[in-house]
Every structure is written in C-alpha cells, then in structure tokens.
Amino acid sequence: MSDPRNTAPLSVIIGALGAIRSAVLPAIAIAFSGIGGEGRYLVAIGVGVAATVIGVAISYANWRRLTYTISETDIRVESGVLSRAARSVPFERIQDVSLEAKPLPRLLGLVSVKFETGAGGADDLALEYLTKGEGEALRQLVRERREDEAAAASAADPATPARPAAEDEGDVLFAMGPGRLLTFGLFEFSLAVFAVLGGVLQYVDNVTSVDIWDVDLWYGWLKEQGSTVATLGPYAQALGAVAGLVGLLVVGSATGVVRTFLRDWGFTLTRSARGFRRQRGLFTRTDVVMPVHRVQGLVIGTGLLRYRFGWRSLSFVSLAQDAESESHVVAPFAQMDEIAPIVRAAGFRLPGDATAWRRASTRHRTDKAVLDSAFFLAATIPVAIFAPPGLFLIPLGLAVLAAGANLYAWEFRRHAIDDRQVYASHGFLSPTQSIATRLNLHSVEIRQGPLARLRGYATVHLGLAGGSFAMHGVPIAEARALRAAVMETITATDFSRLDAPAANPAPDQAFSSAQPGFSENFLAT
Amino acid sequence: MDQTPVPVPADEDGALTKLHPNYSHALRVRATLTAIPFLVGALVLEGAFRGEGLFPSGVIAGPVLLIALALIIRIPQTRYNARGYQMGADRLRVVRGLLFRSDTVVPFGRVQHIDVHQGPLDRFFGIATLTLHTAGNHNASVALPGLGEELARAMREDIRAHIRRETQ
C-alpha cells in the first residue's frame, strides 16, 4: 500500500486533448493569415501536429512523474518533471474528501479527488485523475486511516465506542427532483445572460466588420423600428413595452432554470455512519463527504422573494471550503420542515418556542436610523439650494426610507443563547439565521465604537472555525453576561468528557475539529 | 511585571494588568520614526515655496510639526493606558483600542499555537509580543504586544502547560 502509485493512465488522454485544443486555434490562425503564402496550410498543419505531439509528450511525462503514496499516517503526492514538488498531508488534517467529475473525465470514467485541509484554495491536495473506483476506494481508505489513527491515539480510553465496520449507503436526507429544481430555478432569476450577450457582441465586433459601437448604426436601426412602432398607436406601444418586460422576465427565469439544472441536477444529500454526503451536477458531477463532527455551525439563508414562499437554504460551516463559497450548501432550496431533519442529523437544534430571543438595544436601533438617514438629510440641503425646486424631496424621501427600514430591521436583529447553542438572526427582507454550538467557539470579543460606548451597546464577535458569527447592538451588560456564559462552557468542558459515549453525539464531537492536533478527539465519529 | 495567574476565572470587572512601561516608550519611538518622513516632506515643500513668497514660512511645516509632537508626546501614553490584559486560570483577556474598544477573551483550551515575537525595537526595550492563534476565522490571532520579555515567555509556558494538561 505504501508504494508510490500513478494516477489513471487515461488522464494522459485528457491532458492530450487539452493540448490539442490549445493547438487548434493557432493552427487556424496561421491557416487564415497570410504567412507563408501557398504553403501556409502545410505550416498550419505542421504547427498543429507539433503542438499536439509536444502537448501529449508533456502530458505523458507529467503523468509518469506524478505519484501518490499512501502511508500509515499521511498521503504524499510527488509531481513535476524538471522541478519536483512533494506534498504530504496527514490523514488527521484532512477535513473531507471530494470527488469531482467534469464532463470529459466523466465520459472516460475518471474523477479528480480533492483533499480538503482547511488551508484554503490552491493549498489543498488534488489528484487528477483517478478511475471512479479508485477514487471511491481512496476516500474510504483515508477515512479508515483517519479513524485508525484516532483509535490508536485513544486506545487507552475504554469508553471507545465500537465503530460500525462497513460503510452503509445511508438514508437520503434531502433530494431535489426536476419539479423542485424548476421552482428553484425560477427564483434564481438572473440577467447574467445579457452580460454574456454583451461579451459575444464584443467578440463579433472584433471578428467581423460590424462595428457594434457605431451609434449611427443603432440609431438608424432604432429609427427604423421606432417608425414602425410609431405607426402602431399608443396601445400597441404599451403592449410592446409589456411584451419587452415579459421577454426580459422569461429570459432571466430561463437563465436561472438552466443554471440551476446544470449545478444542482440530481441533488442528493445522504446521511451515513461517516457523515453527510452530497452529490450534484448535470455535466460536472461532484461528490462531497463531510464528517458530522466537522460541522461547526449552520447558516439558514433565504432570498427576498423566496422567503415569502417559505423557501430557505441550509449551509454547513466548516473549515473545508466549497467550490465558490466558504460553507457547504446542503439544502439549497427547501422548506423549513425539510431542513429540520438535516439540522437534527447534524446534531444541532433549531430555535423553537423555548428559545429566548433577545432584541438588539433600542439605542442601537435609534443610532443606526439617525446615522443612516443623516447621510441623505445632508444631501438634501445642497439639493434644496441648487437643484430645481421639488428635487430635494428625493433625498428627503430616501432619508425617511432609510430611517423606516432601520426601525423595521431592528425587529429582525435578534440573538439568543441556550444551554448548548448560540443563535443570531438579521435582515428584514430576507432574514438569515446562524446557529453555532457554544463548545465550538474559539474566542469572544466585545467591540465598541465611540458611539456604542457612549450609548452602552456592543458587537459581540464569536470566533467560529470556517465562518463568522456576530451579534450586533447587544446591550453591554448582556454582552458581558453572554461572554461569561460562553466562556464557562468552553473552559468547563474537560477534553476527556468530549469523547464520552455517543448519547449526544454531534455537539461534543464537533469540538474535535477545533483541536485537530489533539487527536484523541478523533474517534469522535 | 510579576504577574501571577489569578486562580479564579477572570472577571469582567477585574482589574486589568498594565503592560510593561517600556511599551509606551517603544510606541513613542515608533511614532517618531513614522513622523520623520512627513516632517522631511513638509520641510522640502517649505524650501520649494520659500522663494515664491506666496505665504509666510512655517505654514506647512508648523502644523505638521505640531501634529507630530502631539502624536509623539501625547498619544503613546493614552494608547498605553487604553491597553491591558488579564491572565486568568484558563483564559486570557486582551483589551485595546482608544476610539474603537475591543475586549477579547481567548480560552487556553482553544489555542492552536503560540508565538512570541520581538522586533529590533522590542529587543532594545526588552519587550515582546505574545500572539495566540485560534482556529476561529474571527480573531484567528490575538496579539498582546508590550509584555516584558521574560513575562511573555513565562506566559507562553503557562498556556502551553495548560493545553497539555487539558489534552492528557
């Protein structure tokens, strides 16, 4: 097991295809340029072939020289033809292992295996490409090694719970069918397609002789169209405008639907003995496993419009990073009653009737409203003096709006603490809720600006691994009490107790990720 | 200087321990070093406009000098007074900030690693910066500058001992 191994030989083909792809454009460019006169097609073919051969050779050499070794304690990857690089990652530092299959590798049955360490982005370890079976086996192996290590570290502990031997398939916690995806897509309304269109037009401009920035051209076109429209009469014009808006809506919704289908096709979240497993993607299929005890906190978000229909999203905060965001989305579009079981499975508790929500200080509300509207009020004065009469009503109205919005937003700025968790919620149009376990916090900071000190409130920042957690506008006495309570939980918990029987698994175990170095916690799973 | 860990958990109202007196001197020297380029710049401007007779001499350099003097003489002491720490049995509390106050508590049980750092200026004044690193994104590292050199090392040993005790 500890011999250096190569990745799948088929990855050479993918590298070669990449090389061919990059050789095609220069070849075409030469073929259509004047270089070489009559013989230019030969030159073009020659360049193409040479680039392809060199690309394939480099790809092959890279493949030959990239080896990975799985030892007792770590996984090591050595790579590079001329300059060699070796990277080793101890199993206990691996946050999660994800498999990703882009369309082309997927056709060849290959996956790229990524080992998340929490170091962020490019510093993580990735193997491109392994066959699907190998990838799965490797993931399984990493998981077992990590646990063996944890077990070895805590061999003296008699309370070690027996671990289930084999990986079971697990229960499906959350899945999205095409119908749900369609609804989701409609809420993902996006006009990004127009940006793409702009880009395409720019490209057309470069390639063809049509100058898209030529005002006269558009003006002429508009006048032509305009005169056609003008002959139609006011009703037809209004109808045209409505049709345009509807068209915009349709295009935006269609973009959203397509993007959602591409990203979240076949979204399945399963819970097995090891942790959560998320699979999704139409062309690029990703498969991510997150150990339960790595989940540091939860974020329940929503959107302006979807909130009115009760749709929410649930993300796990952990040290590992997802493709583009810092937390893993485990339920992008779900109703609260679908989210609740996932939250329970992660060992968290949703705020209920018993949760003692506290509002932010009313002084904080007043100050924020005054400050925010003061900006617009200040703008009102010069506008009233210099601008045409009546215009000053605009900034004045905005000032009133800002004050009103702030007063209303206060209703939604809440925080709570109970015996195990802390909660924070903010945002009045689309409220976002964060939940973290008290044990999983790493520091507590009370921060006050000059105004806050004068008025007796503070912002409480809680150190959360892989995310942020803040409560705004907390009255200072309450902030102190909150800190004292959280600190008591953190310091009072003996490490030996963290490995106690799994009566209450997740919150205690989750703690082990806080101290990855102290591996006795690792038997956590 | 001789700081013994408080046996009871640190209280919010508990008195803060002052930093090493040399810290304010170090701050002062740092402020001076920062002010010098500005002063030189002001003097150069003065020189450039001397012949023009546009405004009386000292209009530029005067205010700059005054601000610099205020920053060098007054501010370091205020900053020094605003800072403090409290070493509890199981936690460290760090308070800092003049306008924007920040009051951070780090439990030793959550410390990932500890740094003791000394710049050339710190070495001259015999002080050091103790930095506690945690896994949290916010406050990933909490720095406590201006400790006596030996005290910083002693505190590091204390915290390390605490971590070891907890993990065994």
Side-chain angles (χ1 to χ4, degrees):
Chain A
M1 206 55 197
S2 56
D3 320 321
R5 289 197 287 179
N6 280 109
T7 53
L10 278 175
S11 26
V12 177
I13 294 180
I14 293 177
L17 284 175
I20 291 170
R21 205 167 47 198
S22 50
V24 161
L25 273 180
I28 290 176
I30 289 171
F32 285 94
S33 71
I35 304 171
E38 285 301 304
R40 63 175 187 261
Y41 293 109
L42 280 180
V43 174
I45 289 167
V47 166
V49 168
T52 306
V53 168
I54 292 170
V56 171
I58 289 176
S59 162
Y60 176 74
N62 275 336
W63 172 74
R64 272 309 293 259
R65 299 286 280 165
L66 187 126
T67 57
Y68 66 98
T69 315
I70 294 156
S71 73
E72 288 304 310
T73 52
D74 64 353
I75 174 162
R76 198 168 305 154
V77 174
E78 293 185 31
S79 64
V81 177
L82 292 178
S83 59
R84 298 282 286 170
R87 169 173 286 170
S88 90
V89 178
F91 289 131
E92 64 170 43
R93 287 293 193 278
I94 295 175
Q95 298 280 329
D96 59 45
V97 182
S98 61
L99 306 180
E100 188 182 80
K102 295 210 171 75
L104 194 61
R106 204 173 155 198
L107 279 178
L108 299 172
L110 301 178
V111 290
S112 70
V113 184
K114 285 203 184 98
F115 302 92
E116 301 261 8
T117 59
D123 293 334
D124 281 336
L125 194 70
L127 279 177
E128 288 181 335
Y129 295 86
L130 299 183
T131 61
K132 202 161 182 300
E134 271 180 330
E136 295 275 0
L138 186 59
R139 170 151 79 182
Q140 188 65 32
L141 186 85
V142 166
R143 219 176 284 156
E144 277 160 13
R145 284 286 156 86
R146 198 167 59 196
E147 276 146 18
D148 287 349
E149 207 165 78
S154 60
D157 190 352
T160 310
R163 234 169 273 110
E167 173 85 5
D168 53 315
E169 269 306 294
D171 321 320
V172 175
L173 271 178
F174 182 70
M176 293 203 298
R180 172 67 62 87
L181 278 175
L182 186 67
T183 326
F184 183 21
L186 290 176
F187 281 103
E188 291 278 281
F189 180 85
S190 157
L191 292 176
V193 68
F194 289 102
V196 174
L197 222 58
V200 169
L201 279 179
Q202 182 88 47
Y203 185 71
V204 168
D205 181 27
N206 289 343
V207 178
T208 67
S209 57
V210 180
D211 182 4
I212 61 153
W213 304 120
D214 183 3
V215 179
D216 289 342
L217 180 84
W218 290 109
Y219 187 67
W221 183 77
L222 272 180
K223 215 158 66 177
E224 201 177 295
Q225 301 295 314
S227 54
T228 320
V229 172
T231 57
L232 294 176
Y235 291 110
Q237 278 176 21
L239 214 65
V242 170
L245 273 178
V246 169
L248 211 63
L249 219 63
V250 167
V251 169
S253 305
T255 316
V257 169
V258 168
R259 289 209 321 192
T260 308
F261 269 79
L262 288 182
R263 190 186 56 221
D264 285 334
W265 180 258
F267 190 102
T268 325
L269 180 76
T270 43
R271 170 78 166 90
S272 63
R274 294 285 162 266
F276 292 95
R277 178 178 188 188
R278 187 194 69 186
Q279 293 160 287
R280 67 171 182 180
L282 185 58
F283 293 126
T284 301
R285 191 106 182 118
T286 60
D287 183 348
V288 182
V289 169
M290 293 159 276
V292 184
H293 67 276
R294 300 282 191 196
V295 181
Q296 305 277 319
L298 307 176
V299 177
I300 300 174
T302 181
L304 192 63
L305 207 58
R306 67 191 75 172
Y307 173 58
R308 313 293 144 194
F309 296 92
W311 296 108
R312 319 274 182 133
S313 70
L314 176 70
S315 314
F316 284 167
V317 177
S318 77
L319 271 178
Q321 291 177 336
D322 208 355
E324 66 280 347
S325 57
E326 68 174 12
S327 356
H328 284 283
V329 178
V330 288
F333 193 68
Q335 295 284 349
M336 243 9 225
D337 54 343
E338 290 169 309
I339 285 178
I342 309 175
V343 171
R344 266 201 304 279
F348 283 80
R349 211 158 52 190
L350 280 174
D353 298 332
T355 311
W357 285 104
R358 308 293 299 266
R359 290 255 163 82
S361 155
T362 48
R363 289 178 162 188
H364 178 247
R365 173 187 67 178
T366 317
D367 293 354
K368 256 184 93 70
V370 167
L371 275 181
D372 281 10
S373 55
F375 172 76
F376 292 111
L377 278 180
T380 308
I381 298 163
V383 170
I385 297 172
F386 297 111
L391 266 189
F392 75 93
L393 282 174
I394 294 173
L396 197 66
L398 285 176
V400 172
L401 212 64
N406 266 304
L407 294 182
Y408 187 51
W410 174 78
E411 302 273 334
F412 294 87
R413 195 173 298 122
R414 304 186 293 175
H415 58 265
I417 181 165
D418 63 20
D419 55 335
R420 249 173 54 201
Q421 299 181 156
V422 285
Y423 311 86
S425 171
H426 66 91
F428 70 102
L429 289 176
S430 51
T432 303
Q433 256 182 35
S434 319
I435 305 173
T437 40
R438 281 163 70 158
L439 260 181
N440 274 337
L441 301 171
H442 296 258
S443 63
V444 188
E445 177 179 0
I446 297 178
R447 188 175 286 182
Q448 292 180 290
L451 195 63
R453 247 158 70 207
L454 198 69
R455 307 272 285 163
Y457 56 83
T459 303
V460 182
H461 289 279
L462 302 171
L464 182 67
S468 55
F469 197 108
M471 303 173 176
H472 298 277
V474 184
I476 186 71
E478 207 182 309
R480 293 232 165 90
L482 211 137
R483 177 166 74 178
V486 169
M487 287 304 294
E488 198 183 343
T489 315
I490 302 178
T491 51
T493 309
D494 199 297
F495 274 71
S496 57
R497 249 185 56 200
L498 291 173
D499 291 325
N504 199 358
D508 289 354
Q509 288 160 2
F511 177 59
S512 66
S513 54
Q515 301 283 344
F518 309 132
S519 35
E520 67 176 294
N521 297 313
F522 269 85
L523 82 138
T525 27
Chain B
M1 261 295 267
D2 60 335
Q3 152 81 32
T4 46
V6 190
V8 290
D11 188 21
E12 306 293 338
D13 306 317
L16 290 174
T17 314
K18 285 274 166 225
L19 297 170
H20 196 284
N22 277 352
Y23 180 51
S24 65
H25 303 319
L27 281 177
R28 195 160 284 145
V29 172
R30 211 163 286 154
T32 314
L33 290 177
T34 318
I36 285 173
F38 289 97
L39 273 176
V40 170
L43 285 175
V44 167
L45 274 181
E46 281 280 331
F49 287 110
R50 170 145 297 176
E52 309 281 325
L54 287 174
F55 36 76
S57 60
V59 162
I60 302 172
V64 172
L65 186 68
L66 280 180
I67 293 172
L69 282 179
L71 283 181
I72 293 167
I73 296 170
R74 190 83 195 92
I75 302 296
Q77 193 58 42
T78 338
R79 278 180 73 189
Y80 172 80
N81 287 338
R83 281 177 179 263
Y85 70 97
Q86 196 179 9
M87 181 90 168
D90 51 7
R91 67 191 76 177
L92 176 70
R93 177 174 172 225
V94 178
V95 178
R96 66 195 151 81
L98 272 177
L99 277 178
F100 292 87
R101 296 283 284 176
S102 145
D103 184 338
T104 311
V105 178
V106 184
F108 296 156
R110 296 293 187 274
V111 173
Q112 299 279 13
H113 57 273
I114 315 166
D115 282 345
V116 174
H117 173 85
Q118 275 190 304
L121 205 63
D122 297 336
R123 288 240 297 279
F124 178 79
F125 284 109
I127 56 177
T129 302
L130 180 76
T131 310
L132 305 184
H133 296 267
T134 72
N137 278 22
H138 188 84
N139 277 327
S141 54
V142 177
L144 177 57
L147 292 169
E149 195 182 331
E150 268 134 51
L151 174 62
R153 290 185 203 287
M155 278 167 80
R156 179 181 65 186
E157 293 311 313
D158 273 0
I159 297 172
R160 221 174 60 183
H162 192 93
I163 295 172
R164 193 168 303 141
R165 210 167 44 244
E166 273 197 338
T167 45
Q168 278 167 2

